[in-house]
Amino acid sequence: MTTARPARSPRRRVPRNTLNPDRILDAAVTLLDRDGTEAFTMRALAEELGVGTMAVYSHFRGKDELSDAVAQRLLAEVELPVTGVGDPGDRITEVVRSLYRLFSEHPSALQLLTSRPMRGDEQIAVTDQLLGLLRSAGLGRTEAVRAYVALMQYTVGAAVWTTRSRRRCEREEGVGERIKKRLTALPPDSYPSLTDLAPELSAVGNMGPVQFEYGLGRLVRGLLGR
Amino acid sequence: MTTARPARSPRRRVPRNTLNPDRILDAAVTLLDRDGTEAFTMRALAEELGVGTMAVYSHFRGKDELSDAVAQRLLAEVELPVTGVGDPGDRITEVVRSLYRLFSEHPSALQLLTSRPMRGDEQIAVTDQLLGLLRSAGLGRTEAVRAYVALMQYTVGAAVWTTRSRRRCEREEGVGERIKKRLTALPPDSYPSLTDLAPELSAVGNMGPVQFEYGLGRLVRGLLGR
DNA sequence: ACCTGAACACCGTTCAAGT
DNA sequence: ACCTGAACACCGTTCAAGT
């Protein structure tokens, strides 16, 4: 029959070989950045690509394998500073900062990267560089590993935190004002610091990078022991 | 007809008022701790409670409202040290540590707590206490707020990281050995630090609390500037 | 008021079929 | 080999109905 389907899309059979892993990954990243993790659906992805839902399965075993590949591709974007000179502390800060930038630019990458083990070459290169820098900053073997993990933990946490408060600011209007109102309405006897610092607290929402720099700087200082 | 259903459960109509918000929350936490976030389903929850799927909807508007309530209940478990004396740095460490413990004991709470804005009185009390301690440690108004956020970010990140690697250790056998093998197999010329520190790196998986203490100690030191 | 099942619009994925 | 639609077992939720 030629009766039109419920209008989903007037797509006819697409020429063969229009799809390949790269095109799929591009579309996946686009979809993820534009609509977020919960909209990252095999069906939505196929729609984005203008193909049938099952077409993607010819190139990836399933959503899990696809998600792994997306994480890989995003990690490959992290640019490592090649400059071999300079204060180790500064260079550490640089590498970690570029990781944080990745998470900020691709908020949904975060969930992908934190919800699955970090395999892959890109991750390996970053790790090796950081460990080397920490060692050359004078840390012992175990200490360097601990410091590396602490840096990763802080970065992931900062990114999760930032992403969440940014999402909130986008969704609701005038969040800062509302927070301030709620804080100043609290009983000062029970919550003296909270009411006192209401102005500073309500401003914290939209200062992701500044906040990250602050914490990272202090953490590096604490880790390197000066 | 009296033909048995496909055996889902031989449940008959349950007496009224067997359900209440508290019982539901208990079951939700149990389910979450036992089977994880992805198994936390309205249908599974109903099964756990021995009621029909829709029974829960008489007490919560939907899964979102229920999830909020679960997050609330878990936060209420955080015990705040009431001791009003002692080094501010130590007391800060104590509060943050108890937050981390909450996340460790209820891994799935983490996703709940990070995926939605922290509203609720429990969160407020923790925040006020930390801000007060940071101020009494000599930090300025803005600095105290920044330090508070940095501490939260580190805690969330550490919890996410720990949870993930623990899940991985549970799922797969002998992860440490496998990681070590993979690391020592890498070309030492390209990744000198990684291959050199293979023993320390492969041991990092199962030392959550120790690692957390290390990073937290250094972060606090950096934040308080000594 | 509280609990029920059927039904709806989603999801990932299997499978047999088209080209 | 690559792409297709139908179908299956899930999901959250609406709705009319039972008690």
Side-chain angles (χ1 to χ4, degrees):
Chain A
M1 293 193 276
T2 41
T3 50
R5 276 174 303 147
R8 290 244 170 211
S9 77
R11 183 169 42 75
R12 293 271 161 264
R13 179 167 273 266
V14 98
R16 314 115 225 112
N17 289 352
T18 37
L19 232 48
N20 58 61
D22 261 333
R23 260 178 56 73
I24 294 177
L25 288 177
D26 285 341
V29 173
T30 304
L31 188 61
L32 240 11
D33 288 346
R34 173 157 45 79
D35 303 334
T37 327
E38 69 275 23
F40 179 46
T41 281
M42 294 304 267
R43 287 169 147 96
L45 179 60
E47 179 110 1
E48 179 82 19
L49 286 160
V51 298
T53 308
M54 294 311 300
V56 179
Y57 285 81
S58 298
H59 300 88
F60 294 95
R61 201 182 295 282
K63 197 183 186 182
D64 248 47
E65 193 178 290
L66 175 60
S67 300
D68 273 339
V70 172
Q72 276 294 326
R73 134 125 11 163
L74 289 175
L75 267 176
E77 280 183 21
V78 178
E79 75 271 19
L80 292 177
V82 261
T83 56
V85 290
D87 176 58
D90 291 345
R91 295 181 60 204
I92 291 168
T93 307
E94 252 184 88
V95 178
V96 176
R97 188 168 21 221
S98 71
L99 255 178
Y100 175 76
R101 207 178 306 134
L102 165 72
F103 290 145
S104 300
E105 285 165 10
H106 304 284
S108 42
L110 193 56
Q111 194 147 348
L112 243 52
L113 287 165
T114 55
S115 69
R116 64 194 60 248
M118 297 213 199
R119 41 177 162 260
D121 306 342
E122 322 300 345
Q123 175 66 16
I124 285 175
V126 177
T127 305
D128 186 77
Q129 178 142 18
L130 274 176
L131 285 171
L133 289 169
L134 288 164
R135 286 287 276 155
S136 76
L139 296 194
R141 299 172 56 88
T142 307
E143 278 203 304
V145 172
R146 292 244 174 94
Y148 160 74
V149 174
L151 285 168
M152 290 296 103
Q153 290 176 333
Y154 174 69
T155 307
V156 166
V160 168
W161 190 279
T162 304
T163 302
R164 190 180 38 138
S165 59
R166 181 164 36 179
R167 249 202 314 259
R168 200 180 161 192
C169 285
E170 282 168 5
R171 269 211 272 269
E172 313 169 31
E173 208 57 41
V175 177
E177 273 312 306
R178 200 129 30 81
I179 291 178
K180 192 190 254 176
K181 278 219 178 84
R182 241 188 77 195
L183 289 177
T184 46
L186 288 173
D189 298 348
S190 311
Y191 309 111
S193 309
L194 224 39
T195 47
D196 181 41
L197 298 174
E200 284 82 2
L201 279 165
S202 55
V204 93
N206 25 9
M207 43 176 29
V210 179
Q211 168 69 46
F212 178 73
E213 286 299 326
Y214 180 87
L216 178 58
R218 304 308 157 113
L219 178 57
V220 170
R221 184 163 77 183
L223 288 171
L224 301 189
R226 349 174 184 182
Chain B
M1 294 192 277
T2 41
T3 51
R5 274 174 303 147
R8 289 242 170 214
S9 76
R11 182 170 43 74
R12 293 269 161 264
R13 179 166 274 267
V14 99
R16 313 115 224 114
N17 290 352
T18 37
L19 233 47
N20 58 60
D22 261 333
R23 261 179 55 74
I24 294 176
L25 287 178
D26 285 340
V29 172
T30 303
L31 188 62
L32 240 10
D33 287 346
R34 172 158 44 81
D35 302 334
T37 328
E38 70 276 22
F40 178 46
T41 280
M42 295 303 269
R43 287 168 149 96
L45 179 60
E47 179 110 2
E48 179 83 19
L49 286 160
V51 298
T53 309
M54 295 310 300
V56 179
Y57 286 81
S58 299
H59 301 87
F60 295 95
R61 203 182 293 282
K63 197 184 187 183
D64 247 48
E65 193 179 291
L66 175 60
S67 299
D68 273 338
V70 172
Q72 276 295 322
R73 134 125 12 163
L74 289 175
L75 267 176
E77 280 183 20
V78 179
E79 75 271 19
L80 293 177
V82 260
T83 56
V85 288
D87 176 58
D90 292 344
R91 297 182 59 205
I92 290 168
T93 306
E94 253 184 86
V95 178
V96 176
R97 185 167 25 217
S98 71
L99 255 178
Y100 175 76
R101 207 178 307 134
L102 165 71
F103 290 144
S104 299
E105 284 165 12
H106 305 283
S108 43
L110 193 58
Q111 195 147 346
L112 245 51
L113 287 165
T114 56
S115 70
R116 63 196 59 249
M118 299 212 199
R119 40 178 163 260
D121 305 342
E122 322 300 345
Q123 174 65 16
I124 285 175
V126 177
T127 305
D128 186 76
Q129 179 143 16
L130 274 176
L131 285 171
L133 289 169
L134 288 164
R135 287 287 276 157
S136 78
L139 296 194
R141 300 173 56 88
T142 306
E143 278 204 304
V145 172
R146 292 243 174 94
Y148 160 73
V149 175
L151 285 168
M152 290 296 103
Q153 291 176 333
Y154 174 68
T155 307
V156 167
V160 168
W161 189 280
T162 304
T163 301
R164 191 179 37 137
S165 59
R166 180 163 37 179
R167 249 200 314 256
R168 201 179 160 194
C169 286
E170 283 168 6
R171 268 209 273 267
E172 315 169 31
E173 208 58 40
V175 177
E177 273 313 305
R178 200 129 29 81
I179 291 179
K180 192 189 254 175
K181 277 220 179 84
R182 240 188 78 195
L183 289 177
T184 45
L186 288 173
D189 298 348
S190 312
Y191 309 110
S193 310
L194 223 39
T195 47
D196 181 40
L197 297 174
E200 284 82 2
L201 279 165
S202 55
V204 94
N206 26 7
M207 43 176 27
V210 180
Q211 168 68 48
F212 178 73
E213 286 299 324
Y214 180 88
L216 178 58
R218 305 306 156 116
L219 178 58
V220 170
R221 182 164 78 182
L223 289 171
L224 302 188
R226 352 176 182 179

